[in-house]
Amino acid sequence: MRQFFRILCILLPVALFVMVLFKVRDFFDEGAALSGVGVMLGALVVLAVWEGLMFRFWLLPAWGRIISERVYGGSYTPDQDPLVALAARIREGHERELLPQLEQLVREDSRRARSWAELASVYTDEFHDNAAALKALLDGAEHVSGKEDRALFLCRAALMCEQRLHDRSHARELYEKAASKYPRTAYGRRAAEALSRL
């Protein structure tokens, strides 16, 4: 029922816009072309804003969850992933004593980007340990398999140095490394852009 409601919210404005177009045709038939164009542009703006909000708050988050599960999580769901389940347990109970176990799982699957991202997230979000999170990001940049992921971790590490650790020189060094080693990746280009503002 909830999915049906969302689909209805996305498709109903399109149907209304089509009805407005029929009304615009009447304006043109009556010789009021300027009024017709104004009504059409107004309806188009309303449609664009409405659909943009629907995509931003409903469709994109859902697509992001599906893609992250497939790309970083494999063919199983997060509940079946021991590493994600352990990270969730640490977050729920604030159990610092489970961190070595999480680190062990990460190192056992060190080529997987999701592993390092979870570890860094637990350190920053749960224990506010920015130094440990930075180390996890830098280790991830050394171990993950894809160039895009390596550049991503370098950029995240640089951003952490810049915003949380207030170490602009280290941030610049990491941005330079991402930009020079992975210039053809999206995050390599983003690192090059970040250098211009440091």
Side-chain angles (χ1 to χ4, degrees):
M1 192 65 180
R2 186 178 178 186
Q3 293 298 329
F4 175 75
F5 175 72
R6 290 188 175 187
I7 292 169
L8 186 65
C9 285
I10 291 168
L11 294 182
L12 184 61
V14 176
L16 293 174
F17 181 72
V18 171
M19 292 173 60
V20 169
L21 290 181
F22 284 117
K23 182 63 178 172
V24 167
R25 187 179 63 183
D26 293 341
F27 277 111
F28 278 92
D29 291 343
E30 295 167 5
L34 194 59
S35 297
V37 170
V39 169
M40 183 181 70
L41 290 177
L44 189 60
V45 168
V46 171
L47 177 68
V49 170
W50 181 265
E51 294 297 334
L53 291 172
M54 294 300 100
F55 271 84
R56 167 66 180 86
F57 292 107
W58 282 352
L59 291 180
L60 291 181
W63 289 347
R65 283 191 299 273
I66 292 169
I67 290 170
S68 68
E69 286 174 14
R70 291 297 176 191
V71 173
Y72 295 120
S75 59
Y76 40 78
T77 64
D79 292 340
Q80 298 168 320
D81 185 335
L83 186 140
V84 175
L86 180 59
R89 183 177 160 195
I90 291 171
R91 287 187 178 100
E92 287 168 10
H94 201 70
E95 300 182 53
R96 182 179 281 274
E97 62 274 11
L98 294 177
L99 281 173
Q101 189 178 340
L102 181 64
E103 290 172 356
Q104 179 63 30
L105 285 176
V106 169
R107 297 200 179 278
E108 287 173 2
D109 197 6
S110 62
R111 296 176 66 81
R112 179 180 172 215
R114 175 76 179 265
S115 302
W116 297 103
E118 284 287 349
L119 182 60
S121 174
V122 166
Y123 274 127
T124 52
D125 299 341
E126 197 60 34
F127 299 106
H128 309 291
D129 190 342
N130 295 322
L134 177 63
K135 184 179 184 312
L137 292 171
L138 293 176
D139 286 347
E142 294 294 324
H143 290 89
V144 293
S145 55
K147 291 182 179 180
E148 192 70 61
D149 289 331
R150 291 183 177 202
L152 163 68
F153 281 118
L154 285 172
C155 282
R156 283 189 180 177
L159 195 62
M160 178 164 287
C161 286
E162 183 184 352
Q163 294 183 349
R164 292 176 180 253
L165 299 173
H166 308 291
D167 187 348
R168 290 170 65 90
S169 63
H170 195 192
R172 173 176 284 279
E173 179 186 327
L174 293 171
Y175 281 132
E176 285 173 351
K177 185 175 181 180
S180 61
K181 288 187 74 171
Y182 312 107
R184 296 188 180 184
T185 65
Y187 282 96
R189 290 189 291 271
R190 189 174 294 184
E193 292 171 7
L195 283 170
S196 63
R197 62 176 170 75
L198 278 181

